[in-house]
Amino acid sequence: MTTTTTEAPEHFKYQPLKGDQRARLREEAARDYAAGSSIRAVADHLTEKYGSVSFGLARDLLLEAKVPLRSKTSGLHRSRP
């Protein structure tokens, strides 16, 4: 049995964010999150502008920007009467 390996097309290859590009995404993520967007919404917005940005990457960018993250339940639950 012969196995062949094929290389992924160029547009599917992982390209790490570096330098100015990473700084630009970090600043934009911090601005969106500070304006009230969720991490998921930040990831979606960055994906629309720059290509695939995962939840994890968006979170990492926020942490690198030293943005204090809100709790998961922040504003979602109300106290019962």
Side-chain angles (χ1 to χ4, degrees):
M1 179 177 198
T2 305
T3 57
T4 59
T5 56
T6 59
E7 230 174 280
E10 192 63 35
H11 63 281
F12 286 119
K13 290 185 179 181
Y14 173 71
Q15 299 292 323
L17 293 171
K18 296 179 182 176
D20 292 339
Q21 184 182 22
R22 191 171 186 98
R24 186 172 52 250
L25 266 70
R26 187 171 41 240
E27 291 168 10
E28 193 162 341
R31 186 174 52 249
D32 288 352
Y33 191 75
S37 295
S38 67
I39 298 174
R40 173 69 56 212
V42 169
D44 290 345
H45 178 246
L46 293 177
T47 294
E48 289 174 8
K49 290 184 78 173
Y50 301 104
S52 183
V53 175
S54 68
F55 177 93
L57 176 56
R59 185 178 184 279
D60 287 347
L61 292 169
L62 292 170
L63 292 173
E64 289 172 17
K66 299 189 181 351
V67 174
L69 302 182
R70 298 184 292 268
S71 67
K72 287 183 179 183
T73 59
S74 179
L76 294 178
H77 298 285
R78 295 185 218 167
S79 57
R80 295 184 175 164

